[in-house]
Amino acid sequence: MRPAGAEHRDPGIGSPNWSVRRPMARWLEHEGKAAAGLRVLDVGCGIKPYLPYFAGAASYVGIDVPGNPAADLHGSAEQLPIEDESFDVVLCLQVLEHVEDPARVVRELYRVTRPGGRVLAATHGTQVYHPLPEDHWRWTHTGLERLFAGNGSWRSVTVTPGAGTCACLGMLLATYIDLIAQRLHVVWAGRIVNAVVNRTAAAIDGRSRLLREPVPGSLHANFHVEATR
């Protein structure tokens, strides 16, 4: 049986979420190789789409809200039912934008990470409103740096954009193209158009360092955070 979440690990170029999911998948695929023999916790695990990347881990524990059958544990990200300093790698992917208290979540991520361990988090800089069931927060790279630095004695915190400014603009355009295509019952046509949008945006970003980096005037769909305790 194919592992769940293939559309997260290998999103089609015509997907409106391609500019978020593809960079995050490649990032986690790389990080998963470094997690061999380590204990991994996935906070807000959903269907555990990135579990295959961490196949070499000593253990992979998913925690999510009650009602998720894929989760190994159930609880709130603001109050994890986990002992202190229990995991080497803690994932928190596309969760912070949905929680009531992001600062408290980051303090919990710090608490359950062993000294020398790492938190790998991802969350939105720019995105349409998408309540699942709530949607509260968006960040700049400096905002995420402050969020983490103020809620844990981290040895280091690094925040990088998942993709560039054109990719972000392309994602927003692709989102609405997809919605129109759904209403007209021509989803296949929307995917063709979005493939062109996504390829073009990625190609333009690839030609300009300033479009890829968080500089004044930039716009980024997603940020990747690596925090080492």
Side-chain angles (χ1 to χ4, degrees):
M1 181 181 296
R2 193 180 187 190
E7 69 279 5
H8 289 75
R9 295 186 300 276
D10 189 21
I13 186 67
S15 167
N17 293 317
W18 184 80
S19 293
V20 170
R21 288 182 174 175
R22 187 177 185 276
M24 186 163 63
R26 300 291 73 80
W27 173 52
L28 294 171
E29 184 176 27
H30 172 76
E31 294 295 338
K33 295 174 184 177
L38 302 180
R39 297 192 67 200
V40 179
L41 176 67
D42 188 347
V43 177
C45 64
I47 58 174
K48 298 180 182 175
Y50 304 107
L51 174 59
Y53 293 156
F54 294 85
S59 64
Y60 187 104
V61 177
I63 181 169
D64 211 336
V65 295
N68 179 2
D72 303 292
L73 298 171
H74 294 100
S76 165
E78 286 96 340
Q79 191 171 0
L80 297 171
I82 305 289
E83 293 183 1
D84 294 356
E85 302 180 2
S86 297
F87 288 89
D88 303 289
V89 179
V90 178
L91 308 178
C92 185
L93 307 171
Q94 309 309 119
V95 172
L96 289 173
E97 64 268 25
H98 298 293
V99 301
E100 293 289 336
D101 189 343
R104 186 175 177 185
V105 172
V106 173
R107 289 194 293 272
E108 281 291 274
L109 299 178
Y110 179 85
R111 181 182 65 79
V112 301
T113 303
R114 70 165 181 81
R118 296 183 302 150
V119 169
L120 304 177
T123 189
H124 291 303
T126 301
Q127 184 56 275
V128 298
Y129 179 59
H130 59 293
L132 292 172
E134 305 292 342
D135 183 23
H136 299 303
W137 312 101
R138 300 292 184 270
W139 283 273
T140 62
H141 65 291
T142 55
L144 282 169
E145 288 168 356
R146 288 175 65 90
L147 175 66
F148 274 77
N151 291 283
S153 298
W154 307 96
R155 288 167 51 189
S156 65
V157 176
T158 303
V159 181
T160 56
T165 292
C166 284
C168 181
L169 294 172
M171 176 206 70
L172 294 174
L173 178 59
T175 297
Y176 290 103
I177 290 173
D178 186 64
L179 287 173
I180 292 170
Q182 289 183 47
R183 294 193 176 186
L184 296 177
H185 304 289
V186 289
V187 172
W188 60 272
R191 292 302 172 99
I192 292 173
V193 175
N194 282 344
V196 175
V197 170
N198 287 330
R199 282 196 182 97
T200 302
I204 295 173
D205 281 338
R207 291 178 175 271
S208 172
R209 179 179 58 83
L210 290 179
L211 288 175
R212 298 191 301 271
E213 295 187 353
V215 298
S218 62
L219 199 64
H220 299 283
N222 223 44
F223 289 104
H224 302 161
V225 181
E226 180 179 337
T228 302
R229 178 167 175 176

